[in-house]
Amino acid sequence: MRSLLWGRGVSALGDGLWFTIWALYLTRIAGLPPVTVGVGLAVASAAGMAAAVPLGAFADRAGARPVLVTLTLVRAAAMAGYLAVDGTWSFLAVTVPFTALATGSTAVRTALITGLVTEPAERVRALAQQRVAQHVGYAVGAGLGALVLTADARWAYTLAIAGNAVSFLVLAGATLLVPAPAPAPRATTRVVLKDRPFLCVTAATAVLSLCWAMLSAGLPLWLSGRTHLPLGLGGVVVVISSVGIAVFQVPFSRFARTASQAARTAVVSGVVLAGSCVLLATTSGGAGVVATGVVVLAALLHVVGELGYVAANWGLSVRLMREEAKGAYQGATEAATATVQMVGPGVFTLAVGGLGGPGWLLVAVVFLAAVAPVPALTRWAVRTRELAAVH
């Protein structure tokens, strides 16, 4: 697990670097129209959602470790390919494999970790440690990305892209150092696609992933269009979130040791995130110390809600998955999350940007409605597994 942690941290550093610079590199250096970039990323994201479950099932059959190494190497080659992008078709040729395989890679990585760690409670803890390493790497990478943007020269972007490609090679090498769990030759996508209780639980909890778009899209729109607060406050909130995740994600894993406990944690997460939305709604037209304090308090609630959501999502997906189809089940989980992430910016643009304060209240209702059925759905899923064990 230590090898995977180091590999994930280095790879996340490259990710943080790339996600800081990609928009300017593609539009300013590669000379692509913003519409082309947006459409290409949408196509790639859709392909990733469609491929997640089949890739997970393939990892079940062929082995999670070799499949993850292969996906990582393909993404390394695609990242290096960005250096040769000079038009729409070359952009699509590298963006589709790079972006589309990201969702499947996450699912296969989770399958690999759950194959290496057999105790369910320890699985959630191991996944939490991976996320901490990821966020530390992102923070360092984003700092390096800021230096690249400051230089704003082709040579700086070239070094950054080459560095990110190398970070994927490091991740592939680190993955090769861990044991290879035994494959399940008969695993197929059908087992998860027919598992209605699991899919219902996954769909409900995936809605909580709107919390990420809440920071990346909702809060900046709110600060700039509906308050008199400094825009830099959004950056402060991101720092609070990053520090909170790095410090508390592993301890929060204890709240998802069983399926029923994870379901309760999901409910608490939804309630807390809804409370964060309500607090933000009260800052409409606000300025000064009081409004700033309310935004910071909302940020603290958001951190708690995000920590709870992530822990609950792992707890439910790990506890409720079929052991012989880990990859396929994690693929379904990642596909659901990716779907919500794709529509998330649009939701907050329409709700917060269009409706203002009532938009935050609408999002709060969405959070509450999503988590309300999770305990009952989880009990349904647990019952179906108990019946299957009896028969």
Side-chain angles (χ1 to χ4, degrees):
M1 297 307 300
R2 189 173 301 168
S3 297
L4 287 180
L5 281 175
W6 278 106
R8 190 70 191 101
V10 172
S11 175
L13 186 153
D15 288 339
L17 179 58
W18 171 245
F19 289 125
T20 305
I21 68 170
W22 68 265
L24 288 182
Y25 172 76
L26 293 175
T27 55
R28 286 168 59 88
I29 305 300
L32 297 174
V35 173
T36 298
V37 175
V39 172
L41 290 174
V43 170
S45 298
M49 288 184 289
V53 176
L55 280 175
F58 179 66
D60 291 327
R61 294 193 300 271
R65 189 185 70 172
V67 171
L68 182 57
V69 170
T70 302
L71 293 177
T72 304
L73 291 176
V74 171
R75 296 192 73 213
M79 173 52 58
Y82 275 111
L83 294 173
V85 167
D86 59 359
T88 300
W89 293 112
S90 58
F91 168 65
L92 290 174
V94 297
T95 293
V96 171
F98 179 75
T99 304
L101 295 182
T103 302
S105 295
T106 302
V108 176
R109 182 180 301 108
T110 303
L112 174 61
I113 293 170
T114 55
L116 295 171
V117 182
T118 56
E119 173 59 37
E122 289 302 314
R123 285 172 167 176
V124 177
R125 181 179 176 83
L127 291 168
Q129 291 170 337
Q130 291 281 320
R131 189 166 193 244
V132 170
Q134 177 185 14
H135 272 265
V136 171
Y138 272 144
V140 176
L144 294 175
L147 296 177
V148 173
L149 294 179
T150 300
D152 195 24
R154 178 177 285 274
W155 64 265
Y157 290 106
T158 299
L159 285 177
I161 292 172
N164 193 14
V166 171
S167 77
F168 281 104
L169 298 180
V170 172
L171 177 59
T175 305
L176 285 172
L177 294 177
V178 305
R186 296 184 180 180
T188 66
T189 60
R190 290 194 299 272
V191 62
V192 65
L193 296 179
K194 290 183 177 180
D195 193 339
R196 288 184 296 170
F198 180 86
L199 294 178
C200 289
V201 171
T202 297
T205 54
V207 175
L208 294 179
S209 68
L210 282 172
C211 66
W212 294 324
M214 184 175 166
L215 285 192
S216 64
L219 186 60
L221 287 172
W222 180 251
L223 293 175
S224 63
R226 302 285 180 165
T227 75
H228 302 289
L229 295 168
L231 297 181
L233 185 57
V236 173
V237 170
V238 172
V239 172
I240 293 173
S241 177
S242 298
V243 172
I245 290 166
V247 175
F248 294 110
Q249 190 65 77
V250 173
F252 258 71
S253 65
R254 72 184 63 176
F255 300 123
R257 290 175 174 170
T258 66
S260 59
Q261 190 181 40
R264 291 193 297 271
T265 300
V267 172
V268 173
S269 171
V271 172
V272 172
L273 287 171
S276 179
C277 291
V278 172
L279 282 178
L280 289 172
T282 65
T283 63
S284 179
V289 176
V290 174
T292 300
V294 173
V295 171
V296 171
L297 179 57
L300 294 174
L301 287 181
H302 181 278
V303 172
V304 175
E306 181 180 348
L307 290 167
Y309 154 63
V310 172
N313 186 51
W314 286 331
L316 291 169
S317 67
V318 168
R319 278 287 187 175
L320 299 178
M321 71 182 182
R322 310 284 184 182
E323 287 294 322
E324 71 278 8
K326 299 181 185 71
Y329 273 79
Q330 295 306 319
T333 301
E334 292 301 324
T337 304
T339 301
V340 174
Q341 286 301 288
M342 197 162 98
V343 303
V347 168
F348 282 98
T349 299
L350 293 174
V352 177
L355 300 177
W360 281 120
L361 301 181
L362 179 61
V363 175
V365 171
V366 170
F367 281 134
L368 295 174
V371 298
V374 170
L377 293 173
T378 301
R379 289 192 293 270
W380 177 30
V382 170
R383 284 197 304 271
T384 58
R385 279 138 188 78
E386 292 172 347
L387 288 173
V390 170
H391 295 292

